[in-house]
Amino acid sequence: MPLYFIRKEKLIPDLKECMQLLKKVKSERKMEVTIQNERIKLANVLYIESNKNNVYYVFLNRKKLKMRTTLRKIEKELINYNFIRCHASFVVNMSQIRKVTSDFIFLDKDEKIPIGEKYYMNFLDKYADYKFRRVILKNKVQRFGKFLSGMVMPNIGALIAFGFLAALFIDTGWIPNKGFS
């Protein structure tokens, strides 16, 4: 199935829209990584821990996968996917954070990750931005829902009446009448 059609008469706008769609699809595909020949969804990663040149991905189900690389490389790869460095040995998934104190980050599954002094201010800035983006998105969804309910609720009586009339007079309705259809 084609991803997008480009029409000759609207070549420039269609090309722009197609390129945006391709970027979106590409970024969605990157939400997975391959570790030890295993495809891993980043949403399932709780945090990433480093021990010298070994990096351990810790998942929601407590499973750990070891990879030989540095945390700095992982941090650069995952910066656009809501992962943030909070300590010399830890990168955390911001969507898994439940509470932040001056010394620790508390994640889902009762995990407690230390916050390094060197990383504290940068962590707070990035985490505040992340939370702010989520609040804005939530507000937009709520406003759209309010808009839709504002259209439906005043007309609910008419919609119910139309449903009853349609049920009465369609070919298989309570009072079938081919003259009305």
Side-chain angles (χ1 to χ4, degrees):
M1 184 171 164
L3 185 63
Y4 194 81
F5 291 98
I6 299 174
R7 298 166 290 190
K8 189 188 273 185
E9 60 275 1
K10 295 187 177 187
L11 182 64
I12 301 299
D14 281 356
L15 274 174
K16 287 180 182 176
E17 193 167 339
C18 182
M19 292 305 293
Q20 289 174 347
L21 190 59
L22 283 171
K23 285 178 186 175
K24 180 181 176 191
V25 167
K26 186 178 176 184
S27 71
E28 287 172 357
R29 286 185 185 151
K30 283 190 170 189
M31 292 299 285
E32 291 184 349
V33 293
T34 303
I35 304 169
Q36 299 173 350
N37 298 324
E38 194 174 332
R39 298 290 295 166
I40 303 299
K41 290 188 182 220
L42 292 176
N44 294 334
V45 176
L46 194 56
Y47 64 90
I48 304 164
E49 183 177 4
S50 171
N51 187 358
K52 298 183 183 171
N53 280 338
N54 291 316
V55 171
Y56 299 90
Y57 285 77
V58 180
F59 298 93
L60 295 173
N61 61 4
R62 303 276 195 222
K63 180 180 173 185
K64 284 187 178 185
L65 283 179
K66 179 180 171 182
M67 185 175 176
R68 185 146 179 85
T69 186
T70 62
L71 200 57
R72 182 171 289 152
K73 287 180 184 176
I74 298 295
E75 178 187 15
K76 286 180 182 175
E77 290 175 12
L78 299 180
I79 195 92
N80 294 325
Y81 299 103
N82 297 326
F83 282 82
I84 180 114
R85 187 126 181 211
C86 62
H87 188 274
S89 300
F90 292 95
V91 171
V92 297
N93 184 347
M94 287 192 278
S95 67
Q96 301 298 326
I97 295 174
R98 292 298 153 244
K99 182 180 173 186
V100 177
T101 65
S102 60
D103 297 326
F104 293 100
I105 298 169
F106 295 89
L107 304 174
D108 281 352
K109 309 292 182 186
D110 301 323
E111 293 282 346
K112 186 167 124 177
I113 306 292
I115 302 176
E117 285 183 36
K118 176 181 171 184
Y119 300 94
Y120 185 73
M121 291 309 294
N122 184 47
F123 168 78
L124 284 183
D125 288 343
K126 297 270 173 93
Y127 187 60
D129 287 346
Y130 169 76
K131 287 301 239 183
F132 184 68
R133 280 185 280 133
R134 289 189 66 194
V135 168
I136 287 176
L137 180 62
K138 180 180 172 185
N139 287 341
K140 285 183 180 180
V141 169
Q142 287 175 341
R143 275 187 286 165
F144 184 65
K146 185 178 177 182
F147 167 74
L148 289 178
S149 67
M151 288 183 352
V152 171
M153 293 312 285
N155 299 312
I156 197 79
L159 292 170
I160 291 171
F162 177 76
F164 277 125
L165 289 174
L168 281 172
F169 297 112
I170 59 174
D171 290 337
T172 57
W174 292 319
I175 308 171
N177 189 339
K178 292 189 184 202
F180 285 118
S181 55

